[in-house]
Amino acid sequence: MKTKSLTNKSYRFAFILITSLFFLWGFAHNLDPILIPHLKKSFTLTTVQATLIDSSVFIAYFVMALPALSTTVVPKISKSATSFLIGNPIAPMFSASF
């Protein structure tokens, strides 16, 4: 059986896509500390409100991971079909909350 190398052309596009995605995420996160003082002045925010802007980015990562967690982890906890049937409706509920 022949295994594919990571330098194969079939993986090159996916590698470039993932690499550029992480670059864009990092770029967006590095803009947060620059934009927050300007937002604080423009919208007359308190320090607590300005801190919540920065925290909301990381809270969003947690909240958006919940649907994936409900469909991947819940079925693995128990191999029964019951946990799968309970986990699948959880994902649309979290998605619909947005």
Side-chain angles (χ1 to χ4, degrees):
M1 178 164 58
K2 189 175 182 183
T3 60
K4 288 187 178 181
S5 167
L6 288 179
T7 57
N8 194 349
K9 276 194 167 198
S10 63
Y11 292 115
R12 190 170 293 158
F13 177 72
F15 180 76
I16 291 170
L17 190 66
I18 296 294
T19 304
S20 58
L21 181 66
F22 277 109
F23 173 76
L24 290 173
W25 277 340
F27 183 75
H29 280 296
N30 286 329
L31 285 179
D32 283 344
I34 298 168
L35 291 175
I36 287 175
H38 297 291
L39 291 171
K40 191 175 177 181
K41 275 191 240 174
S42 297
F43 296 108
T44 60
L45 299 174
T46 64
T47 304
V48 173
Q49 291 171 329
T51 306
L52 286 174
I53 293 172
D54 199 24
S55 300
S56 67
V57 173
F58 298 105
I59 292 169
Y61 278 124
F62 173 75
V63 171
M64 293 308 290
L66 291 176
L69 180 73
S70 68
T71 56
T72 57
V73 174
V74 172
K76 289 180 183 177
I77 291 171
S78 172
K79 297 286 184 188
S80 68
T82 308
S83 64
F84 186 72
L85 292 174
I86 291 170
N88 275 339
I90 293 172
M93 286 190 300
F94 282 118
S95 297
S97 67
F98 292 101

